[in-house]
Amino acid sequence: MTKDERRVVSPWNIANVLTVARMALVPFFVICLFLPGTGWRLAALGVFAVASITDHLDGELARRYGLITDFGKIADPIADKALTGAALVSLSILGELPWWVTIVILGREVGITLLRFVLLRHAVIPASYGGKVKTVLQMAAIVLYIVPGVDGTLRAVVMGAAVLVTVATGVDYVVRAARLRKVARQIRGE
């Protein structure tokens, strides 16, 4: 066991504080999105942008400074899904985004998050490059729907790409999870 493996990391660290802050920003984002007027839309965009930046920053800080905790492993994906889910559901309630898009994306996200929790006792499947592309496309598409006056075709194309990559990476994750489970069973001699 190395010195780093024995080091206990407090859950009260900057990476986890950013994750909690992201969760706390979700209600403010939703409120701004539902209030009428361009100014409130731009405020919603600002809150969404800050929350999205914390998503990148908390992971970067946790990896760089060895601040990875069990709390962070659980809270980070929940905070991500809360922000994305709140945006998609809100846009669908407002009639700006078709419900089927919200259902497909959230169905995949919830399913994969549950699968991750089930697999925690075997191993953690690291995020793939496709998963990172999925996140960027989802965020970009949501931003295009939040910003007033963006061309509907551009919104639809970017959201369509986000849906395609979301489904494809979901299938890839399930395949990788099945392989991991098979290997784990072989190791246990089942």
Side-chain angles (χ1 to χ4, degrees), residues 8-77:
V8 176
V9 178
S10 169
W12 293 100
N13 63 60
I14 187 64
N16 288 343
V17 168
L18 288 171
T19 298
V20 171
R22 183 164 66 257
M23 284 192 262
L25 286 173
V26 171
F28 295 104
F29 162 71
V30 171
I31 290 167
C32 291
L33 194 58
F34 276 94
L35 290 172
T38 302
W40 286 111
R41 263 303 165 110
L42 295 175
L45 177 64
V47 173
F48 186 81
V50 168
S52 297
I53 290 167
T54 67
D55 179 28
H56 171 73
L57 193 56
D58 64 2
E60 181 66 29
L61 290 170
R63 284 184 297 277
R64 182 177 294 170
Y65 297 107
L67 302 175
I68 297 170
T69 64
D70 288 340
F71 173 80
K73 289 178 189 175
I74 293 168
D76 184 63

Side-chain angles (χ1 to χ4, degrees), residues 48 134-146 158-159:
F48 186 81
K134 170 208 60 111
T135 301
V136 169
L137 280 172
Q138 285 179 1
M139 296 295 179
I142 290 168
V143 164
L144 291 175
Y145 276 85
I146 295 171
V158 176
M159 186 59 81

Side-chain angles (χ1 to χ4, degrees), residues 88-144:
L88 295 170
V89 169
S90 296
L91 290 167
S92 290
I93 289 170
L94 289 167
E96 298 176 27
L97 180 67
W99 274 104
W100 71 265
V101 171
T102 297
I103 291 166
V104 167
I105 291 175
L106 291 185
R108 183 269 190 207
E109 298 297 347
V110 168
I112 296 303
T113 299
L114 292 174
L115 184 58
R116 276 190 174 135
F117 288 133
V118 168
L119 290 174
L120 274 179
R121 64 188 176 115
H122 298 295
V124 174
I125 298 177
S128 66
Y129 176 74
K132 295 178 191 313
V133 170
K134 170 208 60 111
T135 301
V136 169
L137 280 172
Q138 285 179 1
M139 296 295 179
I142 290 168
V143 164
L144 291 175

Side-chain angles (χ1 to χ4, degrees), residues 104-105 108 134 138 161-173:
V104 167
I105 291 175
R108 183 269 190 207
K134 170 208 60 111
Q138 285 179 1
V163 169
L164 286 173
V165 173
T166 297
V167 170
T169 56
V171 170
D172 174 62
Y173 196 90

